[in-house]
DNA sequence: AACGAAGCTGTTATCGCTAACAGGCCAATT
DNA sequence: AATTGGCCTGTTAGCGATAACAGCTTCGTT
């Protein structure tokens, strides 16, 4: 014997009006006498009435829920982006439904998109910065409102991105300014657009300085792959500076260096990417490129709501939302001048290390 | 001019049946002739029909979306739990809607719960292991299906938890077995139930061994707070073993030790909690307690679906849902015997360190 | 042969809202 | 005084499904 939930007609009766007037008040429509409006709101309060989202969506042909497709929400970047999106969406009065990709291929994206469509979401944000995912977006019915993070689907749908190229440029220029002439790169998976952008920024910056880019070493964002890359680099004698594709790989790499008696930054300078919360407390504290994921989330929602309101995907209206978020360089202690004062007293030498053996 | 979406009646017409028969086929009801069923399914395929979730929910008075209330989805634990829940929910045919808490107090939980209720979720998982959140759960209308992670709301709603006490016990026993007689603890925030459980396990294990527990040092899960705790401990001379409340704090603490020339594990042994993916690649690789978040997610969904199907919150049916997930000890190189062979060649001494000064 | 009990299908009513239209009222215009 | 056009409000139809009931077969039984 469960009590019937309060519905709009109950409010209408209590306020002595029709249910349509209640609807008008709730949807902030004009043309309701202030006194009536107040009476309705009072009834709403008194009954603790909450409109039924499903009925509302069914009648109005729109829902107040946005979908987010993401891959590996444990990675710092996607997790932080998801949080930013969720907060921005909530501020705009929308709920957020998530669908995580188990596979990262075309079908995986299609199926995740389908799962969200089945929940009648009003629009979708896709955080799946792989080439395959970007391709899958193009197969999406154009009636679906969508924006992508870090996926330039050929202008098919709006894309919000951090300026990876410029971030990589900052990292490399920082190392060059310290006197390093050869900058290695441990990249993310080649099918990730971020990885591609960072490779491009790294390579072009070296090129602009008249330097050749060595072969990039491929990782998979994980600390484990950074460790593997570190082992490879440790076996060479021409390594003084490395730009890692993200902080986790930098962490793993520094572990490998440590095991081989290679000192950071005295022997090798390391720059990461992301500025994870732990970066400041690694040994040594990591110089890295910070991305503003909250800003990414905010711009995603702003762009998505615009698409929803227009009823049409906006085509290249880049004037409205600047799609590129600028990252910033955070200098800590994992970078030092090439052959700079080798002993203590040099430039930002980091904390003293003691021998352990 | 947008094309009308395919609805059930379209399928019915194409298959030459009534819409109700289509509904029966789609809901796997019996009493449909196999030939008819096949005809309907063929029509569904041909039109690429997808049922409208809102209409379905409105008519059937139930939705296929579950809500998750979480705090700080960037923290490893909540993020991993969320992922586990999402995957288990999808496997059960449910979508997942998230609401992140901006504030961690009573009102924050109530408002997040309300936001989810407005989306007509069928049930809610609350990942908000604070005492305040647990209290808020009790104010929830009992008609709402809900389960909590790590929050024993006095048996009001089912709770899925990792056995924090036993995890802490493993950590401390490991340190005791290495000969340490005084084990410090850097705890999480006191209002987090996990933090309380780990403190309890730590204290009782020491008690069982006839040892007194020093005053725990309070952190906030962040590497920064671990660093601060590390500075405090570094100023003492009676520190040989520390059990950190999580891996991030262990990381920050080790950084502080490093800056003060305190070697891990030669001078101080450190145990963390969580086994974040990076733990293996810290310097030194971190001994820690692993939690199985996927299992937590699976049990959450299982319990929640049971509540939904019963139509009533199950009261203390702990026999049905095994409430405690057992963590495991992962031994790496941040722990060593007390005063064990002080030089190289000792037991798991970790990689050699070189002087850097 | 007649009967009830299944099995299969269709018709109608609802779910709780918003959209569209249809008024009633009152001030401002002709 | 009659007409116009805003305001405000109510009535009636849907939205696209499921629930409940009813009707028609087709069996197996007595």
């Amino acid at each position: 014997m469960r009590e019937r939930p309060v519905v709009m007609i109950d409010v209408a009766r209590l306020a002595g009006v029709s249910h349509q007037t209640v609807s008008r008040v709730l949807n902030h429509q004009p043309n309701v006498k202030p006194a009536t409006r107040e009476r309705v709101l009072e009834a709403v309060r008194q009954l603790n009435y909450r409109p039924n989202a499903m009925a509302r969506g069914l009648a109005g042909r729109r829902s107040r829920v946005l979908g987010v497709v993401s891959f590996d929400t444990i990675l710092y970047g996607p997790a932080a982006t998801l949080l930013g999106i969720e907060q921005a969406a909530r501020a705009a009065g929308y709920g957020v439904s998530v669908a995580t990709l188990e596979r990262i291929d075309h079908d995986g994206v299609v199926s995740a998109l389908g799962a969200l469509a089945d929940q009648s979401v009003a629009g979708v944000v896709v955080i799946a910065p792989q080439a395959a995912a970007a391709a899958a977006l193009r197969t999406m019915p154009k009636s679906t409102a969508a924006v992508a993070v870090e996926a330039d689907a050929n202008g098919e749908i709006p894309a919000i991105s951090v300026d990876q190229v410029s971030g990589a440029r900052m990292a490399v220029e920082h190392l060059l300014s310290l006197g390093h002439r050869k900058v290695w790169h441990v990249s993310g998976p080649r099918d990730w657009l971020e990885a591609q952008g960072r490779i491009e920024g790294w390579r072009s910056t070296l090129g602009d300085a008249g330097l050749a880019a060595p072969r990039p070493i491929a990782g998979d964002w994980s600390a484990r792959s950074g460790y593997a890359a570190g082992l490879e680099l440790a076996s060479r004698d021409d390594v003084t500076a490395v730009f890692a594709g993200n902080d986790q790989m930098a962490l793993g790499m520094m572990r490998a260096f440590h095991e081989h008696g290679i000192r950071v930054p005295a022997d090798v300078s390391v720059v990461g990417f992301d500025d994870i919360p732990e970066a400041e407390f690694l040994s040594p504290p990591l110089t890295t490129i910070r991305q503003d994921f909250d800003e990414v989330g905010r711009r995603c929602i702003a762009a998505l709501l615009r698409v929803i309101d227009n009823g049409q995907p906006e085509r290249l209206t880049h004037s409205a939302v600047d799609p590129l978020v600028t990252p910033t360089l955070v200098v800590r202690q994992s970078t030092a001048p090439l052959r700079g004062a080798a002993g203590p007293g040099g430039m930002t030498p980091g904390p003293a290390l003691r021998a352990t053996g």
Side-chain angles (χ1 to χ4, degrees), chain A residues 69 99-115 133 136:
Chain A
V69 174
T100 311
L101 293 170
E102 57 255 69
R103 301 188 317 265
I104 197 64
D105 56 9
H106 185 98
D107 288 354
V109 176
V110 169
S111 116
L113 246 20

Side-chain angles (χ1 to χ4, degrees), chain A residues 221-242:
Chain A
W221 301 132
S222 74
R224 179 177 306 280
S225 72
Y227 179 80
L231 292 182
E232 185 175 340
L233 290 171
S235 67
R236 308 185 59 108
D237 58 3
D238 61 345
V239 179
T240 70
V242 186

Side-chain angles (χ1 to χ4, degrees), chain A residues 24 28 48 63 72 113 126 154 251 275 305 315 349:
Chain A
R24 275 192 269 261
H28 307 101
N48 191 27
S63 86
D72 197 346
L113 246 20
V126 181
N154 283 20
L251 182 158
D275 196 22
L305 293 184
R315 295 196 156 264

Side-chain angles (χ1 to χ4, degrees), chain A residues 165-181:
Chain A
V165 174
S166 125
R169 177 169 291 275
M170 290 175 192
V172 175
E173 280 175 352
H174 171 62
L175 290 168
L176 293 181
S177 78
L178 292 170
H180 297 278
R181 310 309 296 164

Side-chain angles (χ1 to χ4, degrees), chain A residues 260-286:
Chain A
H260 284 72
I262 297 169
R263 299 159 303 171
V264 176
D267 298 325
V268 176
S269 286
V270 173
V271 179
F273 210 110
D274 277 355
D275 196 22
I276 61 175
E278 290 77 31
E280 188 178 349
F281 300 96
L282 299 179
S283 293
L286 187 65

Side-chain angles (χ1 to χ4, degrees), chain A residues 226 244 246-255 270-273 286:
Chain A
N246 76 351
D247 290 351
Q248 276 83 5
M249 293 196 295
L251 182 158
M253 188 171 66
M254 293 199 299
R255 171 65 197 161
V270 173
V271 179
F273 210 110
L286 187 65

Side-chain angles (χ1 to χ4, degrees), chain A residues 262-314:
Chain A
I262 297 169
R263 299 159 303 171
V264 176
D267 298 325
V268 176
S269 286
V270 173
V271 179
F273 210 110
D274 277 355
D275 196 22
I276 61 175
E278 290 77 31
E280 188 178 349
F281 300 96
L282 299 179
S283 293
L286 187 65
T287 294
T288 188
I289 307 292
R290 175 181 294 159
Q291 307 194 62
D292 185 347
F293 292 108
D294 284 347
E295 178 62 21
V296 171
R298 258 178 266 122
R299 293 197 195 180
C300 277
I301 295 303
L304 184 54
L305 293 184
R306 199 167 313 116
V307 174
I308 291 172
D309 291 342
N310 287 357
Q312 282 288 343
E314 56 183 8

Side-chain angles (χ1 to χ4, degrees), chain A residues 6-348:
Chain A
V6 176
V7 297
M8 189 176 272
I9 198 74
D10 299 325
V11 176
R13 272 199 268 270
L14 180 59
V17 296
S18 72
H19 70 277
Q20 179 60 15
T21 296
V22 176
S23 169
R24 275 192 269 261
V25 170
L26 262 36
N27 291 290
H28 307 101
Q29 289 185 23
N31 300 351
V32 177
K33 209 194 319 188
T36 312
R37 183 182 299 275
E38 201 40 62
R39 210 144 28 91
V40 169
L41 290 175
E42 176 54 31
V44 166
R45 235 168 286 140
Q46 204 168 317
L47 296 174
N48 191 27
Y49 166 70
R50 315 202 72 150
N52 179 312
M54 296 194 284
R56 198 183 264 223
L58 183 56
R61 280 172 276 296
R62 83 184 70 125
S63 86
R64 298 291 281 179
V65 178
L66 302 178
V68 177
V69 174
S70 178
F71 176 71
D72 197 346
T73 46
I74 296 186
L75 277 177
Y76 177 72
T81 307
L82 176 60
L83 183 60
I85 288 171
E86 200 273 334
Q87 292 181 338
R90 186 205 282 242
Y94 279 81
V96 169
S97 215
V98 299
T100 311
L101 293 170
E102 57 255 69
R103 301 188 317 265
I104 197 64
D105 56 9
H106 185 98
D107 288 354
V109 176
V110 169
S111 116
L113 246 20
L116 289 175
D118 285 348
Q119 292 173 51
S120 307
V121 295
V124 179
V125 180
V126 181
I127 313 176
Q130 288 82 9
L137 288 184
R138 288 192 213 104
T139 71
M140 209 171 48
K142 285 194 295 292
S143 59
T144 313
V147 304
V149 178
E150 303 291 346
D152 178 23
N154 283 20
E156 295 274 328
I157 63 175
I160 308 297
S161 310
V162 170
D163 192 341
Q164 307 295 343
V165 174
S166 125
R169 177 169 291 275
M170 290 175 192
V172 175
E173 280 175 352
H174 171 62
L175 290 168
L176 293 181
S177 78
L178 292 170
H180 297 278
R181 310 309 296 164
K182 181 160 198 169
V183 178
W184 292 80
H185 180 47
V186 179
S187 77
R190 299 302 271 270
D191 58 340
W192 282 60
L193 301 168
E194 279 107 325
Q196 294 171 14
R198 291 171 201 172
I199 290 173
E200 182 191 331
W202 161 73
R203 184 170 279 143
S204 71
T205 307
L206 287 179
D208 290 352
L211 299 169
R215 177 182 51 81
I217 300 169
D220 64 4
W221 301 132
S222 74
R224 179 177 306 280
S225 72
Y227 179 80
L231 292 182
E232 185 175 340
L233 290 171
S235 67
R236 308 185 59 108
D237 58 3
D238 61 345
V239 179
T240 70
V242 186
F243 165 43
N246 76 351
D247 290 351
Q248 276 83 5
M249 293 196 295
L251 182 158
M253 188 171 66
M254 293 199 299
R255 171 65 197 161
F257 287 166
H258 192 259
E259 285 182 4
H260 284 72
I262 297 169
R263 299 159 303 171
V264 176
D267 298 325
V268 176
S269 286
V270 173
V271 179
F273 210 110
D274 277 355
D275 196 22
I276 61 175
E278 290 77 31
E280 188 178 349
F281 300 96
L282 299 179
S283 293
L286 187 65
T287 294
T288 188
I289 307 292
R290 175 181 294 159
Q291 307 194 62
D292 185 347
F293 292 108
D294 284 347
E295 178 62 21
V296 171
R298 258 178 266 122
R299 293 197 195 180
C300 277
I301 295 303
L304 184 54
L305 293 184
R306 199 167 313 116
V307 174
I308 291 172
D309 291 342
N310 287 357
Q312 282 288 343
E314 56 183 8
R315 295 196 156 264
L316 299 173
T317 330
H318 286 330
S319 54
V321 175
D322 183 359
L324 285 184
V325 178
T326 305
T328 55
L329 171 70
V330 180
V331 177
R332 297 209 182 90
Q333 297 167 34
S334 64
T335 47
L338 178 67
R339 303 184 181 287
M347 182 180 164
T348 60

